[in-house]
Amino acid sequence: MFTGRPDSFPWLVADIGGTNARFALYTGGAEPEQIKVLACADYPTLEAAVRAYLATTGATVRHAAIGIANPVTGDWVQMTNHHWAFSIEATRQALALDSFLVINDWAAMALALPHLPADALIKVGGGEAVAGAPCALIGPGTGLGVSALVPHAHGATPVPGEGGHVSFAPFDEREAQIWHFARERYGHVSAERLLSGPGLVLIYQALAALAGEEAEDLTAADISTRALSGECPRCRETLDAFCAMLGTAAANLTLTLGARGGVYLGGGIVLRLLDYFQTSPFRARFEDKGRFSGYLAAVPVYVMTHAMPALLGATAALAAHLEEQHA
């Protein structure tokens, strides 16, 4: 589990998404505490949001780690699905931190896997995970997060990919028509364009157009609610299509990585649909891969039900960083 010198606590850890920023303090226990969720739109900068959170706790911190919904390729970070942009080093100095670790949010999710309690995972089909094999992670929310955890002799390494931005792959004629609808509107159609909250709305609009109907002005939450209540057949068709597409994306990721260690689903959407999701078209589509259907049928899929797994991963990353510094 996490380690750290008592005189280094508290640590600030955070999970920064395109919509919400989740902050917590770690003081040496089993999990971070004093968790607070702030709306990103309420703050002009990341620094302002950090200061607002710390003001609520009264804590003084010297070490911080955040997982952020963005590639982290150098000192400058420009968020893809939000307007925040910042220099890591300038922010460290402005906040008077000794350490400021910034990693991709889905790399943080991957690092959380060894720290998730068994009751924070719900299995959706498949056999048993193969020890030592790579694990795949994927999850739709404001965007589409994708990563992996690759075990090795000294632990495991997260792979902070940007798989949400690969080109969307239609499975059948209906999905090809949905792709064409999205292509006409946006040009390149990434997986995230359809497998996300905004993507759920786009699928609904495409299916309505294909049926010759005028789409209502619905949010992703509206569509999900109407689908599950049986109020709107088109919304149910949308949700079924969304889960089937997610099954294809998860299967493609599994085959690419050889992820026989299991597939882990995160993101807010699947968690909100959990009862429906377990009997949705997801699993059937996940296994629908011709000659490799048997290979995929053996791979377990888990929905992560922990409230904020990326905070666990950020804590693990900071613990390892500080241990390395003091080795």
Side-chain angles (χ1 to χ4, degrees), residues 21 69 88 108 119 124-125 134 148 162 164 178 182 210 214 233 243 256 265 267 294 312:
I88 297 173
D119 61 3
V124 183
E162 287 297 324
I178 293 171
L210 291 171
E214 184 173 345
C243 290
T256 299
L265 299 177
L312 299 181

Side-chain angles (χ1 to χ4, degrees), residues 242-255:
F242 179 90
C243 290
M245 291 174 181
L246 183 59
T248 294
N252 289 345
L253 181 63
T254 303
L255 291 175

Side-chain angles (χ1 to χ4, degrees), residues 121-124 228 265 268-280 302-305:
L121 297 170
I122 292 181
K123 191 176 181 183
V124 183
L228 298 179
L265 299 177
I269 294 177
V270 172
L271 199 52
R272 287 192 291 270
L273 301 174
L274 190 53
D275 289 343
Y276 154 80
F277 185 79
Q278 294 178 80
T279 57
S280 78
Y302 304 96
V303 177
M304 295 183 283
T305 62

Side-chain angles (χ1 to χ4, degrees), residues 78-120:
Q78 171 72 63
M79 291 187 70
T80 304
N81 291 320
H82 188 59
H83 69 265
W84 285 353
F86 59 93
S87 157
I88 297 173
E89 176 58 18
T91 304
R92 183 193 69 78
Q93 293 182 22
L95 294 170
L97 297 169
D98 293 342
S99 307
F100 183 40
L101 188 63
V102 180
I103 62 175
N104 173 264
D105 62 334
W106 277 79
M109 294 280 275
L111 287 170
L113 293 188
H115 304 282
L116 290 175
D119 61 3

